[in-house]
Amino acid sequence: MQTIGFAAHSASSNLAPFNFTRRAPRPNDVVMEILYCGVCHSDLHWAHNDWGWTTFPAVPGHEIVGRVIEVGAAVTKHQIGDHVAVGCMVDSCQHCDQCQKGEEQLCREGSTGTYGGTDRITKDMTYGGYSKHLVVREEFVLRMPDGLDISKAAPLLCAGITTWSPLRTWKVGPGSRVGVIGLGGLGHMAVKLAAGLGAHVTVVSRTADKAADAKALGAAGMLLSTDANAMTDAANAFDLIIDTVPIKHDLQPYLPLLDVDGTLVIVGQVGPMAELSTVPLLMGRRRIAGSPIGGIRETQEMLDFCAENNILPEVEMIRMDEINAAFARMEKSDVRYRFVVDMASLQA
């Protein structure tokens, strides 16, 4: 299938129109026309080769909502015309213990990324959702629930599931005390989802400029990490802290905020962190953990939960030709809280 997208051809180049070929559909594949694609901070890192392993040309995008336009003969879960979604992965081995229990993101052989991955059969590089079409194995195509606004839902496929998964893993519910560090694309979804689960949510931030936003999103309040007295008073205040900061930073100030047996989960930064003392970990039996996205079953659960509770990301719609300006704004944290590309603009 011939299609068009936007790609970066080097770490220093802008994204630009890119004509390429999608692989031929297999019997268990779903072919979709992409309608909306969210813009994730990971897309920016990938396009700029910030992690050092980008392969060019790079077509980012892993928050994808579209319409089915073709199905393989063996497909049973989706039909032409269905609204569907694809997140950060498009395949896995399907036979290891992690895949068998619905944790495909932790596949022992490595899941196949929606972009920058290697197709398990053709060995070709995968290209992401900044494009007109996508061909995906049926098991990795999610059903869009009725009542969920498809024009706003795309960020749920990364920002949503990335924060939903630790909330479910650490069994957040009514009575849970949850802190969220950072109120960006990931953080605002962590607040909405934790509040939706009935938790008492506090945003931890360096400045108070988003205090009103935090409350509007469902947080009970805001804790200023720059206020030493407030941080001291908040000792042992949280059962779970979700750290969404996407750059290297110091965890030390946040560890005393955890109660005994509390956990700080890193979901933002990929790479080195500042050196820390283990004293607050040892003295409170506290933990630092990491969490990627969730599996397909968990992602569908999250989509259904959002539909039932009317939870959607706060988005700013852009055209595909505005992506480079959007990247520049993301680097300045100038977005509240997620860009979504209207892919109809790609054809235009």
Side-chain angles (χ1 to χ4, degrees), residues 47-347:
H48 291 176
N49 196 24
D50 290 337
W51 298 324
W53 61 74
T54 302
T55 303
F56 294 99
V59 179
H62 58 205
E63 300 177 339
I64 301 165
V65 174
R67 180 189 300 110
V68 177
I69 59 173
E70 183 181 341
V71 294
V75 172
T76 60
K77 298 178 182 177
H78 306 287
Q79 299 178 350
I80 293 174
D82 287 352
H83 284 137
V84 294
V86 173
C88 302
M89 54 185 173
V90 292
D91 206 352
S92 70
C93 80
Q94 295 288 283
H95 56 73
C96 74
D97 60 328
Q98 297 302 310
C99 289
Q100 287 294 303
K101 66 180 183 179
E103 299 275 20
E104 299 92 345
Q105 79 282 14
L106 302 175
C107 175
R108 299 289 185 181
E109 297 181 12
S111 62
T112 302
T114 303
Y115 60 77
T118 302
D119 185 272
R120 305 180 89 83
I121 296 176
T122 67
K123 307 304 179 185
D124 293 330
M125 185 173 69
T126 58
Y127 292 129
Y130 292 5
S131 57
K132 191 64 179 173
H133 303 96
L134 193 66
V135 181
V136 186
R137 180 175 180 162
E138 177 185 26
E139 291 87 345
F140 289 80
V141 179
L142 295 138
R143 171 184 51 81
M144 289 299 295
D146 293 337
L148 201 57
D149 185 343
I150 63 170
S151 70
K152 297 180 179 180
L156 296 176
L157 280 303
C158 178
I161 186 56
T162 297
T163 50
W164 175 261
S165 188
L167 291 172
R168 299 298 284 165
T169 297
W170 278 274
K171 297 178 173 56
V172 167
S176 298
R177 301 168 299 163
V178 176
V180 177
I181 304 175
L183 195 62
L186 287 173
H188 95 287
M189 284 310 310
V191 171
K192 286 195 171 195
L193 291 169
L197 288 166
H200 183 278
V201 185
T202 302
V203 172
V204 185
S205 178
R206 291 174 299 171
T207 63
D209 61 327
K210 292 185 180 179
D213 280 12
K215 289 192 174 182
L217 293 167
M222 176 173 279
L223 172 62
L224 292 181
S225 60
T226 50
D227 184 335
N229 290 332
M231 290 289 280
T232 298
D233 291 343
N236 307 307
F238 303 118
D239 306 304
L240 180 71
I241 295 175
I242 297 182
D243 181 350
T244 72
V245 179
I247 58 174
K248 181 179 179 180
H249 58 286
D250 186 7
L251 297 180
Q252 203 69 47
Y254 307 111
L255 298 180
L257 302 179
L258 292 169
D259 205 349
V260 173
D261 284 324
T263 304
L264 183 150
V265 185
I266 298 169
V267 298
Q269 164 65 342
V270 179
M273 295 291 278
E275 183 176 313
L276 57 82
S277 167
T278 63
V279 171
L281 300 180
L282 296 171
M283 300 309 293
R285 204 163 61 197
R286 302 175 175 102
R287 290 175 293 274
I288 297 172
S291 180
I293 57 170
I296 296 300
R297 185 187 308 130
E298 194 170 54
T299 306
Q300 188 66 62
E301 173 193 70
M302 178 270 306
L303 290 173
D304 293 341
F305 179 85
C306 288
E308 292 165 5
N309 293 276
N310 194 30
I311 295 174
L312 284 165
E314 303 295 317
V315 305
E316 178 179 338
M317 195 71 67
I318 63 170
R319 301 187 312 271
M320 189 71 257
D321 61 5
E322 295 176 308
I323 189 61
N324 295 300
F327 274 12
R329 286 179 55 190
M330 282 175 62
E331 289 187 298
K332 299 175 183 177
S333 299
D334 179 24
V335 53
R336 294 192 177 184
Y337 283 92
R338 205 71 158 185
F339 290 116
V340 172
V341 182
D342 180 350
M343 299 308 297
S345 64
L346 178 59
Q347 188 171 9

